[in-house]
Amino acid sequence: MTTVDERRTAPAAPAVATRRSPAGAVLALLWAGAAAVLALWWSDTGSVVGAAGWLTGAGRMAGLLCGYSCAVLVGLMARVPLLEVRVGSDRVARWHAMAGRYTVCLLVAHVALILTGYAAQDHASLVHETLDVVFNYPDMLKATAGTVILFAVGITSARAVRRRTSYEFWYYVHLLTYAAVFLAFGHQLSLGNDLNGKPVATAFWYALYLGVAALVLWFRVLAPVRLNLRHRLRVDSVQQEAPGVFSVVVRGRRIGELGAQAGQFFRWRFFGGDGMGWTSTPYSLSAPPRGDLLRITVKALGDHSAAVPLLRPGTRVWAEGPYGGLTADRATSHRSLLIAAGVGVTPLRALFETLPGEVTLLYRARTAEDLALGAELEAIARWRGAQVLYALNGPRGERPDISAEALRATFPGLAGHDVYICGPHGFAQELYGALRAAGVPDRRIHHESFEL
């Protein structure tokens, strides 16, 4: 797994047949669902009279949309292969983050508008009305607990907070979303004027939530159990590639049946102590699957990845996947430029070996010592007649020029290339802007981020 057979023939350039992403259709379906929810409110609402009526009406709309958004939020967490592979985990993660923001905003609007409207209707203070609703209305204590949990998830997901917390803490808090949605579900049916006593609307709501629950049960529980019982993964070896960077070779049965492609990733748990079995962490394949072996390459950045060097051969492994759409299926041209930064080289190293056509790899790192898998990259370049370029800091720490002008000068015909990017979020954003300024169409810039 650590060397390349130089006798193999380099991948040929086949006729390009890019699969169309279903992202547009999925988004259209989600917005159509939101429109159906608003139609449900409209069909059940007569004339609205007075300030109290307008406030409670707006609160009902926000509540219905919030309930729908909760279902969408959980559905996007279900790791459905159609979304994770065809749309791309990166884009689905952005949708999930956006749905989370919508959900929290709608929840705030629902609570504020309903309580203010009820207080105006009853001629009571807002504090008195709040206490009355929470303690005397059916299912409201559970709904209040769910609301508090959703707020906590929203706060810990904010970028400023996320940067200051460990991945493990974020992961555990995020899992509470399921509990929050479960706790809040009851009051939607018992108190929601648009659902209570209306068989068709209630059936629609149950179908929505039960359908999402079935997706979560199948793709997040049953499918991973089947995968791991079938393939029996174990750590085969661990090897240091660069300072703080280690490769883990995993051995299993019938690995080819996983259907994993270069550029994809799995979510990994290692049951060998140090808490690595408690969280599921995404790591890309750093080489194409070979025989009964898979390989990942990890940089020690958090509690989970820092424990990777301590793994021992024979350690049991739990994997979920494969996920991700950063694959050859995205190619629209016979010429590709792969741009990696730091440990982001891992999925691109696998693509560098397998991507058909004319391929160039640009590897950004601070120093030569930080270049992981460099020997493999050079060997791949030799046998397939490709090129590896390095963008290292200068002797005084000066950053290399990766502006639009520099990219155009270095890579003639850049606008006709497919460009695959993998690296830190800030690097990828900056590079995306430079590529667009250099004339590369958006449809030819392929990126997948693991920033959570």
Side-chain angles (χ1 to χ4, degrees), residues 294-322:
L294 298 170
R295 190 185 72 177
I296 59 175
T297 302
V298 179
K299 184 174 178 65
L301 296 172
D303 294 343
H304 192 280
S305 54
V308 164
L310 305 178
L311 292 173
R312 295 291 176 264
T315 298
R316 289 191 302 118
V317 179
W318 183 277
E320 301 170 38

PDB file of all heavy atoms in Angstrom, residues 294-322:
ATOM      1  N   LEU A 294      -7.454  -1.353   2.764  1.00  0.00           N
ATOM      2  CA  LEU A 294      -7.785   0.061   2.627  1.00  0.00           C
ATOM      3  C   LEU A 294      -6.725   0.856   3.381  1.00  0.00           C
ATOM      4  O   LEU A 294      -6.150   0.358   4.357  1.00  0.00           O
ATOM      5  CB  LEU A 294      -9.154   0.380   3.234  1.00  0.00           C
ATOM      6  CG  LEU A 294     -10.387  -0.295   2.644  1.00  0.00           C
ATOM      7  CD1 LEU A 294     -11.602  -0.039   3.529  1.00  0.00           C
ATOM      8  CD2 LEU A 294     -10.646   0.207   1.230  1.00  0.00           C
ATOM      9  N   ARG A 295      -6.467   2.094   2.947  1.00  0.00           N
ATOM     10  CA  ARG A 295      -5.502   2.914   3.673  1.00  0.00           C
ATOM     11  C   ARG A 295      -6.030   4.332   3.856  1.00  0.00           C
ATOM     12  O   ARG A 295      -6.602   4.918   2.937  1.00  0.00           O
ATOM     13  CB  ARG A 295      -4.153   2.971   2.945  1.00  0.00           C
ATOM     14  CG  ARG A 295      -3.058   3.612   3.814  1.00  0.00           C
ATOM     15  CD  ARG A 295      -1.753   3.795   3.056  1.00  0.00           C
ATOM     16  NE  ARG A 295      -1.850   4.862   2.072  1.00  0.00           N
ATOM     17  CZ  ARG A 295      -0.837   5.269   1.319  1.00  0.00           C
ATOM     18  NH1 ARG A 295       0.342   4.676   1.430  1.00  0.00           N
ATOM     19  NH2 ARG A 295      -0.994   6.230   0.435  1.00  0.00           N
ATOM     20  N   ILE A 296      -5.836   4.857   5.043  1.00  0.00           N
ATOM     21  CA  ILE A 296      -6.108   6.264   5.324  1.00  0.00           C
ATOM     22  C   ILE A 296      -4.826   6.896   5.834  1.00  0.00           C
ATOM     23  O   ILE A 296      -3.940   6.209   6.352  1.00  0.00           O
ATOM     24  CB  ILE A 296      -7.234   6.433   6.368  1.00  0.00           C
ATOM     25  CG1 ILE A 296      -6.856   5.738   7.687  1.00  0.00           C
ATOM     26  CG2 ILE A 296      -8.549   5.919   5.837  1.00  0.00           C
ATOM     27  CD1 ILE A 296      -7.850   5.946   8.814  1.00  0.00           C
ATOM     28  N   THR A 297      -4.710   8.209   5.673  1.00  0.00           N
ATOM     29  CA  THR A 297      -3.555   8.943   6.183  1.00  0.00           C
ATOM     30  C   THR A 297      -4.078  10.109   6.998  1.00  0.00           C
ATOM     31  O   THR A 297      -4.900  10.892   6.509  1.00  0.00           O
ATOM     32  CB  THR A 297      -2.647   9.415   5.041  1.00  0.00           C
ATOM     33  OG1 THR A 297      -2.218   8.266   4.282  1.00  0.00           O
ATOM     34  CG2 THR A 297      -1.428  10.143   5.578  1.00  0.00           C
ATOM     35  N   VAL A 298      -3.601  10.239   8.231  1.00  0.00           N
ATOM     36  CA  VAL A 298      -4.217  11.122   9.229  1.00  0.00           C
ATOM     37  C   VAL A 298      -3.161  12.046   9.819  1.00  0.00           C
ATOM     38  O   VAL A 298      -2.046  11.607  10.135  1.00  0.00           O
ATOM     39  CB  VAL A 298      -4.863  10.281  10.355  1.00  0.00           C
ATOM     40  CG1 VAL A 298      -5.488  11.180  11.412  1.00  0.00           C
ATOM     41  CG2 VAL A 298      -5.898   9.320   9.773  1.00  0.00           C
ATOM     42  N   LYS A 299      -3.519  13.310   9.991  1.00  0.00           N
ATOM     43  CA  LYS A 299      -2.665  14.261  10.702  1.00  0.00           C
ATOM     44  C   LYS A 299      -3.226  14.463  12.104  1.00  0.00           C
ATOM     45  O   LYS A 299      -4.429  14.626  12.288  1.00  0.00           O
ATOM     46  CB  LYS A 299      -2.608  15.604   9.976  1.00  0.00           C
ATOM     47  CG  LYS A 299      -1.649  16.607  10.623  1.00  0.00           C
ATOM     48  CD  LYS A 299      -1.538  17.866   9.781  1.00  0.00           C
ATOM     49  CE  LYS A 299      -0.617  18.890  10.435  1.00  0.00           C
ATOM     50  NZ  LYS A 299       0.774  18.431  10.532  1.00  0.00           N
ATOM     51  N   ALA A 300      -2.359  14.444  13.094  1.00  0.00           N
ATOM     52  CA  ALA A 300      -2.784  14.575  14.494  1.00  0.00           C
ATOM     53  C   ALA A 300      -3.206  16.014  14.769  1.00  0.00           C
ATOM     54  O   ALA A 300      -2.373  16.887  14.990  1.00  0.00           O
ATOM     55  CB  ALA A 300      -1.644  14.160  15.427  1.00  0.00           C
ATOM     56  N   LEU A 301      -4.533  16.247  14.741  1.00  0.00           N
ATOM     57  CA  LEU A 301      -5.073  17.588  14.965  1.00  0.00           C
ATOM     58  C   LEU A 301      -6.004  17.652  16.166  1.00  0.00           C
ATOM     59  O   LEU A 301      -6.191  18.712  16.751  1.00  0.00           O
ATOM     60  CB  LEU A 301      -5.837  18.053  13.714  1.00  0.00           C
ATOM     61  CG  LEU A 301      -5.003  18.230  12.442  1.00  0.00           C
ATOM     62  CD1 LEU A 301      -5.908  18.493  11.245  1.00  0.00           C
ATOM     63  CD2 LEU A 301      -4.006  19.364  12.619  1.00  0.00           C
ATOM     64  N   GLY A 302      -6.644  16.542  16.522  1.00  0.00           N
ATOM     65  CA  GLY A 302      -7.575  16.509  17.651  1.00  0.00           C
ATOM     66  C   GLY A 302      -7.360  15.270  18.483  1.00  0.00           C
ATOM     67  O   GLY A 302      -6.418  14.493  18.246  1.00  0.00           O
ATOM     68  N   ASP A 303      -8.244  15.053  19.458  1.00  0.00           N
ATOM     69  CA  ASP A 303      -8.081  13.911  20.363  1.00  0.00           C
ATOM     70  C   ASP A 303      -8.113  12.592  19.598  1.00  0.00           C
ATOM     71  O   ASP A 303      -7.331  11.675  19.873  1.00  0.00           O
ATOM     72  CB  ASP A 303      -9.189  13.923  21.424  1.00  0.00           C
ATOM     73  CG  ASP A 303      -9.075  15.123  22.361  1.00  0.00           C
ATOM     74  OD1 ASP A 303      -7.982  15.736  22.398  1.00  0.00           O
ATOM     75  OD2 ASP A 303     -10.065  15.448  23.037  1.00  0.00           O
ATOM     76  N   HIS A 304      -9.035  12.470  18.645  1.00  0.00           N
ATOM     77  CA  HIS A 304      -9.179  11.219  17.902  1.00  0.00           C
ATOM     78  C   HIS A 304      -7.963  10.972  17.021  1.00  0.00           C
ATOM     79  O   HIS A 304      -7.330   9.910  17.087  1.00  0.00           O
ATOM     80  CB  HIS A 304     -10.456  11.276  17.061  1.00  0.00           C
ATOM     81  CG  HIS A 304     -10.869   9.967  16.474  1.00  0.00           C
ATOM     82  ND1 HIS A 304     -10.296   9.459  15.335  1.00  0.00           N
ATOM     83  CD2 HIS A 304     -11.796   9.061  16.870  1.00  0.00           C
ATOM     84  CE1 HIS A 304     -10.859   8.295  15.047  1.00  0.00           C
ATOM     85  NE2 HIS A 304     -11.779   8.034  15.954  1.00  0.00           N
ATOM     86  N   SER A 305      -7.593  11.957  16.202  1.00  0.00           N
ATOM     87  CA  SER A 305      -6.478  11.762  15.268  1.00  0.00           C
ATOM     88  C   SER A 305      -5.136  11.655  15.992  1.00  0.00           C
ATOM     89  O   SER A 305      -4.231  10.963  15.521  1.00  0.00           O
ATOM     90  CB  SER A 305      -6.434  12.907  14.255  1.00  0.00           C
ATOM     91  OG  SER A 305      -6.403  14.164  14.901  1.00  0.00           O
ATOM     92  N   ALA A 306      -5.014  12.319  17.158  1.00  0.00           N
ATOM     93  CA  ALA A 306      -3.755  12.245  17.901  1.00  0.00           C
ATOM     94  C   ALA A 306      -3.499  10.852  18.458  1.00  0.00           C
ATOM     95  O   ALA A 306      -2.349  10.494  18.750  1.00  0.00           O
ATOM     96  CB  ALA A 306      -3.761  13.266  19.039  1.00  0.00           C
ATOM     97  N   ALA A 307      -4.564  10.063  18.609  1.00  0.00           N
ATOM     98  CA  ALA A 307      -4.412   8.703  19.143  1.00  0.00           C
ATOM     99  C   ALA A 307      -4.120   7.678  18.051  1.00  0.00           C
ATOM    100  O   ALA A 307      -3.831   6.522  18.357  1.00  0.00           O
ATOM    101  CB  ALA A 307      -5.676   8.309  19.902  1.00  0.00           C
ATOM    102  N   VAL A 308      -4.169   8.087  16.783  1.00  0.00           N
ATOM    103  CA  VAL A 308      -3.940   7.152  15.673  1.00  0.00           C
ATOM    104  C   VAL A 308      -2.576   6.462  15.766  1.00  0.00           C
ATOM    105  O   VAL A 308      -2.480   5.244  15.538  1.00  0.00           O
ATOM    106  CB  VAL A 308      -4.121   7.877  14.321  1.00  0.00           C
ATOM    107  CG1 VAL A 308      -3.517   7.065  13.179  1.00  0.00           C
ATOM    108  CG2 VAL A 308      -5.590   8.137  14.054  1.00  0.00           C
ATOM    109  N   PRO A 309      -1.481   7.172  16.106  1.00  0.00           N
ATOM    110  CA  PRO A 309      -0.179   6.486  16.179  1.00  0.00           C
ATOM    111  C   PRO A 309      -0.136   5.368  17.229  1.00  0.00           C
ATOM    112  O   PRO A 309       0.745   4.504  17.168  1.00  0.00           O
ATOM    113  CB  PRO A 309       0.802   7.609  16.550  1.00  0.00           C
ATOM    114  CG  PRO A 309       0.117   8.873  16.147  1.00  0.00           C
ATOM    115  CD  PRO A 309      -1.335   8.628  16.334  1.00  0.00           C
ATOM    116  N   LEU A 310      -1.062   5.370  18.164  1.00  0.00           N
ATOM    117  CA  LEU A 310      -1.073   4.370  19.228  1.00  0.00           C
ATOM    118  C   LEU A 310      -1.796   3.094  18.833  1.00  0.00           C
ATOM    119  O   LEU A 310      -1.804   2.123  19.592  1.00  0.00           O
ATOM    120  CB  LEU A 310      -1.732   4.953  20.490  1.00  0.00           C
ATOM    121  CG  LEU A 310      -1.125   6.262  21.029  1.00  0.00           C
ATOM    122  CD1 LEU A 310      -1.902   6.743  22.243  1.00  0.00           C
ATOM    123  CD2 LEU A 310       0.343   6.066  21.361  1.00  0.00           C
ATOM    124  N   LEU A 311      -2.419   3.088  17.639  1.00  0.00           N
ATOM    125  CA  LEU A 311      -3.147   1.900  17.201  1.00  0.00           C
ATOM    126  C   LEU A 311      -2.181   0.734  16.991  1.00  0.00           C
ATOM    127  O   LEU A 311      -1.049   0.913  16.559  1.00  0.00           O
ATOM    128  CB  LEU A 311      -3.888   2.184  15.896  1.00  0.00           C
ATOM    129  CG  LEU A 311      -5.066   3.172  15.992  1.00  0.00           C
ATOM    130  CD1 LEU A 311      -5.581   3.493  14.601  1.00  0.00           C
ATOM    131  CD2 LEU A 311      -6.177   2.584  16.862  1.00  0.00           C
ATOM    132  N   ARG A 312      -2.656  -0.440  17.283  1.00  0.00           N
ATOM    133  CA  ARG A 312      -1.851  -1.652  17.143  1.00  0.00           C
ATOM    134  C   ARG A 312      -2.493  -2.604  16.142  1.00  0.00           C
ATOM    135  O   ARG A 312      -3.717  -2.643  16.013  1.00  0.00           O
ATOM    136  CB  ARG A 312      -1.704  -2.352  18.500  1.00  0.00           C
ATOM    137  CG  ARG A 312      -0.922  -1.521  19.520  1.00  0.00           C
ATOM    138  CD  ARG A 312       0.549  -1.408  19.117  1.00  0.00           C
ATOM    139  NE  ARG A 312       1.314  -0.557  20.014  1.00  0.00           N
ATOM    140  CZ  ARG A 312       1.573   0.720  19.810  1.00  0.00           C
ATOM    141  NH1 ARG A 312       1.127   1.303  18.698  1.00  0.00           N
ATOM    142  NH2 ARG A 312       2.282   1.421  20.669  1.00  0.00           N
ATOM    143  N   PRO A 313      -1.680  -3.375  15.410  1.00  0.00           N
ATOM    144  CA  PRO A 313      -2.237  -4.371  14.492  1.00  0.00           C
ATOM    145  C   PRO A 313      -3.231  -5.283  15.202  1.00  0.00           C
ATOM    146  O   PRO A 313      -2.991  -5.712  16.337  1.00  0.00           O
ATOM    147  CB  PRO A 313      -1.001  -5.141  14.024  1.00  0.00           C
ATOM    148  CG  PRO A 313       0.114  -4.145  14.140  1.00  0.00           C
ATOM    149  CD  PRO A 313      -0.206  -3.330  15.360  1.00  0.00           C
ATOM    150  N   GLY A 314      -4.334  -5.541  14.553  1.00  0.00           N
ATOM    151  CA  GLY A 314      -5.377  -6.375  15.124  1.00  0.00           C
ATOM    152  C   GLY A 314      -6.497  -5.591  15.774  1.00  0.00           C
ATOM    153  O   GLY A 314      -7.540  -6.173  16.111  1.00  0.00           O
ATOM    154  N   THR A 315      -6.314  -4.276  15.962  1.00  0.00           N
ATOM    155  CA  THR A 315      -7.360  -3.457  16.561  1.00  0.00           C
ATOM    156  C   THR A 315      -8.619  -3.511  15.689  1.00  0.00           C
ATOM    157  O   THR A 315      -8.555  -3.347  14.473  1.00  0.00           O
ATOM    158  CB  THR A 315      -6.898  -1.991  16.689  1.00  0.00           C
ATOM    159  OG1 THR A 315      -5.769  -1.939  17.545  1.00  0.00           O
ATOM    160  CG2 THR A 315      -8.012  -1.113  17.253  1.00  0.00           C
ATOM    161  N   ARG A 316      -9.767  -3.741  16.334  1.00  0.00           N
ATOM    162  CA  ARG A 316     -11.026  -3.789  15.592  1.00  0.00           C
ATOM    163  C   ARG A 316     -11.397  -2.399  15.086  1.00  0.00           C
ATOM    164  O   ARG A 316     -11.213  -1.400  15.770  1.00  0.00           O
ATOM    165  CB  ARG A 316     -12.157  -4.338  16.475  1.00  0.00           C
ATOM    166  CG  ARG A 316     -12.027  -5.825  16.759  1.00  0.00           C
ATOM    167  CD  ARG A 316     -13.275  -6.397  17.397  1.00  0.00           C
ATOM    168  NE  ARG A 316     -13.592  -5.716  18.654  1.00  0.00           N
ATOM    169  CZ  ARG A 316     -14.700  -5.028  18.882  1.00  0.00           C
ATOM    170  NH1 ARG A 316     -15.605  -4.889  17.922  1.00  0.00           N
ATOM    171  NH2 ARG A 316     -14.920  -4.468  20.055  1.00  0.00           N
ATOM    172  N   VAL A 317     -11.944  -2.363  13.878  1.00  0.00           N
ATOM    173  CA  VAL A 317     -12.289  -1.104  13.212  1.00  0.00           C
ATOM    174  C   VAL A 317     -13.769  -1.137  12.834  1.00  0.00           C
ATOM    175  O   VAL A 317     -14.281  -2.162  12.369  1.00  0.00           O
ATOM    176  CB  VAL A 317     -11.446  -0.897  11.943  1.00  0.00           C
ATOM    177  CG1 VAL A 317     -11.831   0.406  11.252  1.00  0.00           C
ATOM    178  CG2 VAL A 317      -9.955  -0.923  12.281  1.00  0.00           C
ATOM    179  N   TRP A 318     -14.441  -0.009  13.055  1.00  0.00           N
ATOM    180  CA  TRP A 318     -15.831   0.166  12.622  1.00  0.00           C
ATOM    181  C   TRP A 318     -15.843   1.291  11.594  1.00  0.00           C
ATOM    182  O   TRP A 318     -15.389   2.395  11.872  1.00  0.00           O
ATOM    183  CB  TRP A 318     -16.707   0.519  13.810  1.00  0.00           C
ATOM    184  CG  TRP A 318     -18.176   0.662  13.486  1.00  0.00           C
ATOM    185  CD1 TRP A 318     -18.806   1.754  12.981  1.00  0.00           C
ATOM    186  CD2 TRP A 318     -19.178  -0.345  13.652  1.00  0.00           C
ATOM    187  NE1 TRP A 318     -20.139   1.513  12.822  1.00  0.00           N
ATOM    188  CE2 TRP A 318     -20.409   0.225  13.227  1.00  0.00           C
ATOM    189  CE3 TRP A 318     -19.165  -1.656  14.117  1.00  0.00           C
ATOM    190  CZ2 TRP A 318     -21.609  -0.478  13.268  1.00  0.00           C
ATOM    191  CZ3 TRP A 318     -20.360  -2.365  14.148  1.00  0.00           C
ATOM    192  CH2 TRP A 318     -21.562  -1.774  13.733  1.00  0.00           C
ATOM    193  N   ALA A 319     -16.336   0.998  10.402  1.00  0.00           N
ATOM    194  CA  ALA A 319     -16.337   1.995   9.320  1.00  0.00           C
ATOM    195  C   ALA A 319     -17.744   2.190   8.786  1.00  0.00           C
ATOM    196  O   ALA A 319     -18.559   1.252   8.784  1.00  0.00           O
ATOM    197  CB  ALA A 319     -15.408   1.553   8.198  1.00  0.00           C
ATOM    198  N   GLU A 320     -18.034   3.390   8.332  1.00  0.00           N
ATOM    199  CA  GLU A 320     -19.298   3.707   7.670  1.00  0.00           C
ATOM    200  C   GLU A 320     -18.965   4.409   6.364  1.00  0.00           C
ATOM    201  O   GLU A 320     -18.181   5.345   6.334  1.00  0.00           O
ATOM    202  CB  GLU A 320     -20.160   4.620   8.544  1.00  0.00           C
ATOM    203  CG  GLU A 320     -20.508   4.034   9.898  1.00  0.00           C
ATOM    204  CD  GLU A 320     -21.142   5.071  10.816  1.00  0.00           C
ATOM    205  OE1 GLU A 320     -21.931   5.905  10.313  1.00  0.00           O
ATOM    206  OE2 GLU A 320     -20.834   5.062  12.021  1.00  0.00           O
ATOM    207  N   GLY A 321     -19.572   3.957   5.276  1.00  0.00           N
ATOM    208  CA  GLY A 321     -19.306   4.580   3.989  1.00  0.00           C
ATOM    209  C   GLY A 321     -19.378   3.566   2.863  1.00  0.00           C
ATOM    210  O   GLY A 321     -19.947   2.486   3.026  1.00  0.00           O
ATOM    211  N   PRO A 322     -18.791   3.862   1.697  1.00  0.00           N
ATOM    212  CA  PRO A 322     -18.019   5.077   1.406  1.00  0.00           C
ATOM    213  C   PRO A 322     -18.915   6.270   1.119  1.00  0.00           C
ATOM    214  O   PRO A 322     -20.036   6.127   0.632  1.00  0.00           O
ATOM    215  CB  PRO A 322     -17.241   4.673   0.151  1.00  0.00           C
ATOM    216  CG  PRO A 322     -18.132   3.667  -0.533  1.00  0.00           C
ATOM    217  CD  PRO A 322     -18.821   2.919   0.568  1.00  0.00           C
TER     218      PRO A 322
END
